[in-house]
Amino acid sequence: MKPFVVCLALCAAVLVPALSQKKSPFSGRWDLTVKTPAKTYPSWIEFGAGGSVRLVSEVASVHAVQPKLTGNEMSFESKEWFGKEIPVEWTFKMAGGKLTGHQKRGDGVEGVITGQPAPALKHPQPTAWSQPEPLFNGKDLTGWTPDEPSKNHWKAINGELVNEAAGANIHSTRKLGDFKLHLEYNCPDGGNSGVYLRSRYEIQVEYEPIGTDDEFHSMGAIYGFLSPSAKLPRKPGTWETYDAELVGRTVTVARNGVTTIDHKEIPGITGGAIDSREAEPAPIYIQGDHTGGMKYRNITIQLPAK
């Protein structure tokens, strides 16, 4: 996914005196749903220690915002990507432990916001895993469905899941909770895609020009939240591997056999998530709306052994 919002202090704490004087009624992480007249989409917000506040909107990477707080009401402004960068006013109210809000965009679109406390998802580590089973049969798209059939350019070709042109994303029909995922990918030079775990947490796949993306948006990052601990050589146009383990919201990622994210917590959904219902099982989804030329193969999963 391309980082549409320039996050000058992506993961830095933004100190807000009004929030830092005492514990805010908004404290913690919240899974948000925004409903506009045209569509409904997920969002996420975190009110952290010391008054730091981070936001994920429809497609934007996580970014800091500076709110104004008056009792149980809060507001802030941001710039989000809706085909182009648009200023957005956000207002929230806390009543009876329930978070509600309103979104007013610079293009005139308004949305109603509802929020639920984000689940901790502190699942126990499985003691054993099942044998790998294929999620893609290599012959056709059985078990997969595009999100926009009219724009679909995904095909099964010679055992590969190929996106011939930018268009639709593609989802597995199978929904997963905790799992291990193995896949091979071939990203062309200039390519940009992503593999979404539970359709909510993107592992970045990109070979855009050097300098386009920072470490939090580079190959192997959990988009915007977790950067790879090791920088591996660029290999555009060749086959590489990802092995990802997701237990609750704890993720481990190995790229080409090298562990680059080791049992790290994913704070919340990443831009492009299908929804904000983090506690629910959900498909694997592969991004196809950015660039064509992406190829995937040997997609398998393992589940916690019973």
Side-chain angles (χ1 to χ4, degrees):
M1 172 173 285
K2 295 177 183 293
F4 295 118
V5 175
V6 178
C7 307
L8 298 179
L10 180 64
C11 294
V14 177
L15 296 181
V16 183
L19 287 179
S20 60
Q21 292 173 0
K22 60 181 180 179
K23 185 177 180 180
S24 165
F26 299 97
S27 292
R29 297 168 177 167
W30 296 82
D31 287 333
L32 307 178
T33 300
V34 183
K35 186 174 183 179
T36 72
K39 60 182 176 180
T40 298
Y41 64 88
S43 186
W44 174 90
I45 196 165
E46 178 186 57
F47 304 92
S52 62
V53 180
R54 298 190 294 177
L55 174 73
V56 174
S57 189
E58 182 180 21
V59 296
S61 178
V62 59
H63 51 291
V65 295
Q66 294 182 281
K68 298 176 182 178
L69 180 66
T70 305
N72 290 340
E73 297 186 2
M74 181 192 62
S75 63
F76 57 83
E77 296 180 356
S78 67
K79 292 184 178 180
E80 311 298 337
W81 187 268
F82 298 98
K84 61 181 179 180
E85 193 173 74
I86 293 175
V88 181
E89 297 178 3
W90 305 70
T91 57
F92 290 93
K93 179 182 291 186
M94 181 69 70
K98 295 183 178 181
L99 182 66
T100 58
H102 184 261
Q103 186 189 83
K104 185 175 181 180
R105 293 169 22 185
D107 59 0
V109 176
E110 298 191 25
V112 175
I113 306 170
T114 56
Q116 299 291 332
L121 299 180
K122 293 187 179 298
H123 296 180
Q125 179 68 30
T127 57
W129 295 87
S130 67
Q131 291 298 309
E133 52 183 302
L135 203 60
F136 168 57
N137 66 20
K139 301 175 182 179
D140 54 38
L141 298 185
T142 299
W144 293 83
T145 182
D147 60 358
E148 296 184 85
S150 64
K151 297 181 180 180
N152 181 46
H153 301 292
W154 290 96
K155 294 181 179 180
I157 303 174
N158 298 324
E160 300 168 3
L161 184 60
V162 180
N163 189 31
E164 296 185 317
N169 305 315
I170 195 165
H171 301 246
S172 68
T173 56
R174 186 169 180 177
K175 296 181 179 181
L176 303 169
D178 295 339
F179 59 87
K180 282 187 175 183
L181 170 72
H182 170 85
L183 59 76
E184 298 175 19
Y185 63 92
N186 187 318
C187 180
D189 201 15
N192 188 301
S193 179
V195 177
Y196 280 73
L197 310 178
R198 278 193 223 120
S199 293
R200 301 183 186 105
Y201 315 115
E202 181 188 11
I203 303 177
Q204 175 73 300
V205 179
E206 64 83 28
Y207 276 133
E208 295 189 303
I210 295 174
T212 301
D213 296 308
D214 63 26
E215 61 182 358
F216 288 95
H217 304 90
S218 65
M219 181 73 83
I222 301 298
Y223 192 77
F225 280 119
L226 302 173
S227 63
S229 60
K231 183 173 289 187
L232 303 182
R234 290 169 58 93
K235 295 184 178 181
T238 65
W239 285 102
E240 303 182 69
T241 63
Y242 272 144
D243 289 278
E245 177 185 292
L246 183 64
V247 177
R249 60 173 71 251
T250 299
V251 67
T252 296
V253 178
R255 176 181 164 211
N256 299 333
V258 177
T259 299
T260 54
I261 297 176
D262 190 5
H263 291 88
K264 299 293 186 181
E265 181 188 56
I266 306 175
I269 65 171
T270 59
I274 62 166
D275 62 42
S276 56
R277 300 189 295 270
E278 292 190 85
E280 297 181 8
I284 300 296
Y285 116 57
I286 300 177
Q287 197 172 52
D289 62 355
H290 283 359
T291 63
M294 294 298 310
K295 302 176 183 179
Y296 295 88
R297 69 184 185 189
N298 295 333
I299 306 172
T300 65
I301 57 166
Q302 294 173 263
L303 304 179
K306 295 182 180 180

